[in-house]
Amino acid sequence: MTLALDIFRALADATRLRIFSLLRSMELSVGELAQVLGQSQPRVSRHVKILCDARLAERRKEGSWVFVALGDQAAVAPVAAALDGWVAREPDHWAVADAARLAAVRADRAASAAAWFEGHADQWDAIRSLHIAEDQVEAAMARLLGDGPIGRLIDIGTGTGRMLELFGAQAEAALGIDRSSEMLRLARAKLHDRANTELRQADLYALPMADGAADVAILHHVLHFAQQPGAAIAEAARVLGPGGRLLIADFAPHDREELRARDAHSRLGFADDQIATWFGNAGLQVARTETLEGGELTVTLWLGRRAGASLREVKAA
C-alpha cells in the first residue's frame, strides 16, 4: 500500500501527469521537459523529484545535463494501463499541445546532430578514407552475429548509436553507453523512436550492467582509444551470460603514427594473438575472426564467446 499511496500522491498534479506521459514517448532532459511544459527548470526539477521518489521516473546526470526516463516497470506499467483506459474515454487536450512541442524538441535534436556532423565531417572522412568502406564492415558484423534474435545487447562506446540502429531490432533490449554526453545527444536524436533502446553515460571500464546480464556486447572502433584494452575486454566479458558473445571491430596493427597524435588513438591496431590472449584471460574463446582489407588500414573482426548455452539457445532447443 505504501507504493500505491506514493504513486497516487505523485500523480495528483496535472504537470506531473504530463511529465509521466511525455516520458512514455522518449527520455528527456530537464531542460527539454521545461521547454515542452513552458515552466522553469527548477519547478520541473521539483516535479521530477516527486515522480522519482514514487519510482515512476529516474534521473541520470550526463555532464551538465540531467536526463529523465521512466522508472521501475512494476510501478509504471499499471499506471500507464490505467491512463490509457481513461484517455480512451476522455481525450486529454494537453496531450495534443505537448505532442507538438515534443516534435519541436526532436527537431532541435536532429538539427544539433546535423550541425555537429557538419563541423566534424572532415575528421570522420579522413579516418574512413584509410580503410574499407564502413558498409562492408557492417555487413561483415551482421554475418558474424547472424540474422536471428540476439537477446540483450550492449553497445560499448556507442558514439552516435550506429550499432544500436543496425542491431537493435534483433535485440530484446539494447543499451548504448558512452562517456561523451555530446555523442549521447546525437544518438538520442537518431534513436528516439526505439522503445527497446536505452542510452547512458558510463565508462567502458565500469559498465552499468550486472554480471551475466547481456547476451551480446559490441566494441566497434572503440578499443584503439582504450588505455587498457585488456581491462575493457574483461569488463565487457563480465556482463555476458553463458553463451554470450563479444564482437570487436577494430584495426589490425599499422604504423600510422599520426593517428595517435591527431586523433587520440592509444593503440595502433591489434594482432590476433593479442586479442586471443585478452579473450582467454576474460573467460572467452575466439569463435570467429575475419579480416577486411581494401585500404591503408586493415579492419579485423573478432568474435569471442563465453562457454555454455545462452538462454536464447535453451529456449530454442
Side-chain angles (χ1 to χ4, degrees), residues 132-174:
I132 192 170
E134 194 62 31
D135 61 347
Q136 296 183 55
V137 177
E138 293 172 357
M141 295 177 73
R143 287 196 301 272
L144 291 184
L145 287 180
D147 57 5
I150 60 175
R152 298 154 299 179
L153 168 67
I154 180 169
D155 181 28
I156 303 166
T158 194
T160 62
R162 178 58 179 163
M163 294 297 103
L164 296 175
E165 187 179 30
L166 282 176
F167 301 113
Q170 295 174 242
E172 171 189 329

Side-chain angles (χ1 to χ4, degrees), residues 100-145:
R101 295 191 186 101
L102 193 60
V105 167
R106 288 191 172 116
D108 286 346
R109 286 186 178 184
S112 296
W116 191 91
F117 276 117
E118 184 177 348
H120 294 76
D122 56 340
Q123 299 173 23
W124 290 89
D125 290 343
I127 296 175
R128 285 175 176 170
S129 68
L130 295 175
H131 63 79
I132 192 170
E134 194 62 31
D135 61 347
Q136 296 183 55
V137 177
E138 293 172 357
M141 295 177 73
R143 287 196 301 272
L144 291 184
L145 287 180

